[in-house]
Amino acid sequence: MDFAVVVPKPDSEARIADLEAEGVYDDARKIREHDADRVELPVSDRPRETDFDRLVEQDDPELRAPGLDDLLRERGWTEAERDRAPSSWAVVGTVILADFADCPRPAEVGDALLDLHNEADTVLARGGIDGEHREPDVSVVAGEGDTETVHTEHGTQYALDLSRVMFAPGNKAERARMGEVTSEAERVLDMFAGVGYFALPMARAGADVTAVEKNPESFRFLAENAQLNGVSRNLDCVLGDCRDVESEADRVVMGYYDALGGGPVAEAGTSEGGPGYLDAALDNLVSGGILHVHSAVPEAELWERPESRLRAGCERAGRAVEIEARRRVKSHSAGVEHVVLDARVD
């Protein structure tokens, strides 16, 4: 029998990671839509640790096409070598991003990935993200080497250069969700806009968005993407520090992991944390407005760490806060989760 677990669409990326960690995710079958709000994730056995709505039996499941492991086996790679090949990768427009840290003969793997994804023409090895402007460390492994591309998600187009600006493929569901929760003519402040990750879906939904970005490279693509998506009239692009911006908002998005200060990124020494970011958000957010706070949190400290810091900041500002939703977006690193709090602030 072929079984699957039914989960909400926005939670699918995080649930897949949980199922993989539990060893019950069946990647030989494709994910299937269950209804308008939920999907079916294929499993080899009933999960014991992963949350899901229900377990269903699938009739005539659709199998995935041959994968990277199959191609490498056909090309003479041993099992030990295949185990060191990338286990996952992301296709961003015409570029494939993968981690080749322990991989033998990366160029061969890159060629195989290009054979798997005909729409792509370049494979990049993904390193870390560093510096105040969150600049990516990548190198060309195979293909044409063109790092500029246009990536499309749910109708939103993102022009970007993956050698110059960061892009998190695992945030796909969250980007789409922001376009769904935003109302037409709602006033939105996106404090860490990047190339328009969340600002563009919200502007396409009809919101009046002020998008702030301090990295000049990211800002250039943000402005270009406003034109590309036809939302220049209701997407105001601001180059600078979001703490210096005054923009009364019904909804504020804080998409930077350490916006509350003291998160894993700060502890690793790559950032000073987020002094004043929450204060700035609250200064701009109207009473009854919604605040979306992203954090990277050790599993052992969910959900106490981000909630306590948010509540403490609101208390200092004399604002009442109610947590309306908690979501896992994806795994940030070993033992650390990327999560989002949706909070209503009076």
Side-chain angles (χ1 to χ4, degrees), residues 180-232:
E180 296 167 356
V181 302
T182 308
S183 304
E184 188 170 356
E186 187 177 51
R187 298 167 300 174
V188 177
L189 172 61
D190 186 354
M191 297 180 67
F192 308 94
V195 301
Y197 314 111
F198 305 121
L200 291 168
M202 293 188 291
R204 292 184 65 236
D208 293 319
V209 181
T210 299
V212 188
E213 176 53 46
K214 68 189 300 184
N215 179 347
E217 287 286 351
S218 295
F219 178 81
R220 176 169 68 88
F221 285 107
L222 172 64
E224 180 180 334
N225 287 329
Q227 296 279 348
L228 185 62
N229 287 275
V231 293
S232 295

Side-chain angles (χ1 to χ4, degrees), residues 279 282-283 287 310-321 345-346:
D279 292 339
L282 296 175
D283 285 345
S287 179
L310 175 58
R311 293 185 189 280
C314 289
E315 184 177 352
R316 287 194 302 271
R319 306 285 294 270
V321 60
V345 181
D346 293 323

Side-chain angles (χ1 to χ4, degrees), residues 82-97:
R82 298 197 307 275
D83 286 343
R84 293 165 58 195
S87 59
S88 63
W89 54 89
V91 182
V92 181
T94 57
V95 178
I96 299 173
L97 288 172

Side-chain angles (χ1 to χ4, degrees), residues 6 21 72 75 136 145 200 269 284 306 345:
V6 179
L72 294 179
R75 298 176 187 189
L200 291 168
N284 287 289
V345 181

Side-chain angles (χ1 to χ4, degrees), residues 145-168:
D146 186 359
T147 57
E148 285 202 34
T149 190
V150 176
H151 178 63
T152 303
E153 290 180 357
H154 301 284
T156 300
Q157 294 178 285
Y158 298 92
L160 68 164
D161 185 337
L162 289 162
S163 71
R164 295 180 177 272
V165 300
M166 65 169 288
F167 188 83

Side-chain angles (χ1 to χ4, degrees), residues 306-307 310-311 321-326 340-344:
E307 288 190 24
L310 175 58
R311 293 185 189 280
V321 60
E322 178 183 355
I323 309 297
E324 294 195 336
R326 304 165 179 84
V340 181
L341 297 178
D342 295 342
R344 187 172 297 275

Side-chain angles (χ1 to χ4, degrees), residues 3 25 30 49-50 58 67 71 87 91 129 146 153 162 176 189 239 257-258 265 268 274 276 330 337:
F3 292 103
Y25 184 65
K30 290 187 176 182
E49 302 173 7
T50 303
Q58 291 185 326
L71 286 183
S87 59
V91 182
I129 302 292
D146 186 359
E153 290 180 357
L162 289 162
L189 172 61
L239 175 62
Y257 285 147
D258 287 340
V265 176
K330 65 178 189 301
E337 292 290 300

